[in-house]
Amino acid sequence: MAENSTHKARDQDAVEAEASAWLVRLEGEDFTDEDQAALDAWFQQSPDHERVFRDVAETWNIMALAVVDAHFGAQKSTPLAGGHATSLLGRLKDAFRKRWFTPAFATGFAALALVAVVSVLFEPGGRPAMPYGQHAVQQFVTAVGRQSLETLEDGSRIRLNTDTKLSAQISEQSRTVELIKGEAMFTVARDVSKPFIIKAGNHEVRVLGTVFSVQKRPEGITVRVQSGRVAVSSEEGEGVDSVILTEGQQVLANDDSGMGAAQTLDVEQAFAWTNGLLIFDGTALPDALAEIDRYYFRDIQLQCDQAQSKKLSGVFRIDGLDEALEVILADASLQMDTHVKGKLLLQCPIDPEG
């Protein structure tokens, strides 16, 4: 039921974690020939391993040099990456670790490289270039089943829902967020001189001050407004289609069919996830399971035709979804199969006479 891209993202996270662990070991004093052989074997397991290893190492290099510059008096104009940058295994080993790069810090630095908030500075060509700390592009990430609350420089707050990734940049001229995947709720600080813009694919949401959420789906985006007004627009061929949403309204902007009509929404139900809850009120069981699946560590699949038409009502805690599944199993007379790795199969009961 969950998209293949979700599983790929989970696999990517696992490979990045392994790459980070290898980098920490590589920086240790006791890295042996046996360790090198094991690392080479890890590279051979998949062509993605070496690629991800290089990407993580480059990210560490950018972050490490920024910290080294701050602690060892480098000029702010020093480029952070590219041909002028010193490698992680060079300058970091020779200067950074001599002072305070202990094994404990190495482990913390590995976590830092994968932390949910990473500031990296990019030019349009993708190369870090601006001095560290000047209008940094902040990246925020949550894992499956996790949420986080972040505050931007202008005071705006972003609550990220499960399996979400976005970037944000605040400058003197603009406030821009790119929603790469997932869902986020925005409480925007009012500033009439700098509209707050959220971009998701070819869709754009523009506000001055309001509380709303944007969810990016495979087919487009859904925008829900808790309070205030937002303008949602989508590129349609050579033109732009747009709609104004007010408090208690939502709209689906589809990548293929374009902008839908504004609809009334149940605000309490739509934003229940910000309080750690999922609310269903006569929701079709396949739709309810699709929502639960966004937060669950297994891929939930409903494999029972007679249960497709069933409805689900109830309030469930996001951190207690096993209880929700128990209710569903009982109410829909389903049985659960967990033998397939990474999947939770909900099946019709076996007929003992069949």
Side-chain angles (χ1 to χ4, degrees):
M1 187 174 296
E3 297 296 324
N4 290 335
S5 59
T6 300
H7 300 298
K8 291 180 180 178
R10 293 172 182 169
D11 293 342
Q12 176 81 1
D13 291 343
V15 174
E16 288 178 352
E18 292 173 1
S20 297
W22 275 116
L23 279 167
V24 171
R25 290 176 63 181
L26 191 62
E27 273 295 283
E29 298 288 356
D30 56 348
F31 192 79
T32 64
D33 292 340
E34 289 77 10
D35 290 329
Q36 183 63 59
L39 176 58
D40 292 340
W42 184 74
F43 283 148
Q44 293 297 322
Q45 290 175 10
S46 169
D48 288 338
H49 286 185
E50 183 173 357
R51 175 185 58 79
V52 173
F53 183 90
R54 292 179 182 276
D55 290 344
V56 172
E58 182 178 354
T59 300
W60 282 31
N61 193 40
I62 294 168
M63 297 169 65
L65 287 178
V67 177
V68 169
D69 287 347
H71 284 269
F72 293 91
Q75 297 297 318
K76 283 190 175 181
S77 59
T78 301
L80 297 181
H84 300 289
T86 307
S87 72
L88 174 69
L89 301 182
R91 184 178 178 185
L92 182 58
K93 177 180 287 186
D94 293 339
F96 192 35
R97 194 178 60 193
K98 284 181 181 179
R99 291 284 293 276
W100 47 285
F101 195 76
T102 63
F105 182 82
T107 303
F109 196 78
L112 180 62
L114 295 176
V115 76
V117 183
V118 180
S119 293
V120 183
L121 311 172
F122 288 99
E123 288 182 330
R127 294 176 60 86
M130 291 188 300
Y132 184 78
Q134 294 187 9
H135 311 318
V137 176
Q138 293 178 286
Q139 295 186 354
F140 303 94
V141 180
T142 55
V144 173
R146 300 291 184 179
Q147 298 179 358
S148 70
L149 178 62
E150 311 296 343
T151 302
L152 302 183
E153 296 176 23
D154 68 332
S156 297
R157 297 191 302 277
I158 305 177
R159 184 179 293 277
L160 284 75
N161 203 356
T162 176
D163 195 22
T164 295
K165 181 177 182 180
L166 59 82
S167 63
Q169 185 173 28
I170 307 296
S171 69
E172 287 86 355
Q173 294 79 31
S174 63
R175 301 180 291 173
T176 304
V177 171
E178 181 182 3
L179 180 61
I180 300 167
K181 68 173 182 176
E183 179 180 18
M185 179 179 179
F186 301 84
T187 303
V188 178
R190 186 170 181 81
D191 186 344
V192 295
S193 66
K194 290 188 294 186
F196 195 99
I197 301 171
I198 298 95
K199 297 181 178 180
N202 63 334
H203 311 287
E204 181 177 292
V205 182
R206 181 180 294 259
V207 300
L208 294 178
T210 186
V211 180
F212 65 102
S213 70
V214 181
Q215 180 180 357
K216 188 171 184 181
R217 303 174 181 270
E219 67 273 15
I221 66 169
T222 300
V223 181
R224 303 177 178 95
V225 179
Q226 186 180 83
S227 64
R229 291 162 54 92
V230 303
V232 185
S233 62
S234 299
E235 295 180 4
E236 295 292 331
E238 297 181 355
V240 176
D241 193 9
S242 63
V243 64
I244 301 294
L245 297 180
T246 58
E247 179 176 333
Q249 289 188 320
Q250 67 177 359
V251 70
L252 171 62
N254 192 287
D255 291 343
D256 297 325
S257 58
M259 187 73 64
Q263 299 175 329
T264 301
L265 65 82
D266 183 327
V267 172
E268 181 182 9
Q269 182 176 355
F271 293 94
W273 64 267
T274 64
N275 294 314
L277 301 174
L278 294 179
I279 299 177
F280 301 108
D281 184 11
T283 305
L285 184 57
D287 294 338
L289 288 173
E291 183 66 13
I292 292 173
D293 184 64
R294 296 176 58 207
Y295 302 85
Y296 205 64
F297 67 98
R298 293 177 183 266
D299 178 14
I300 302 174
Q301 296 184 3
L302 180 60
Q303 298 182 337
C304 180
D305 290 341
Q306 66 192 42
Q308 297 289 332
S309 60
K310 292 186 177 294
K311 308 289 185 180
L312 178 65
S313 296
V315 179
F316 305 98
R317 293 197 58 82
I318 291 175
D319 60 3
L321 291 179
D322 285 335
E323 297 177 6
L325 290 171
E326 290 177 3
V327 171
I328 292 172
L329 290 173
D331 288 353
S333 299
L334 296 170
Q335 62 182 21
M336 181 170 57
D337 183 353
T338 60
H339 289 93
V340 180
K341 184 178 180 180
K343 297 184 182 296
L344 180 64
L345 309 180
L346 304 184
Q347 301 171 334
C348 297
I350 298 176
D351 186 352
E353 299 180 358

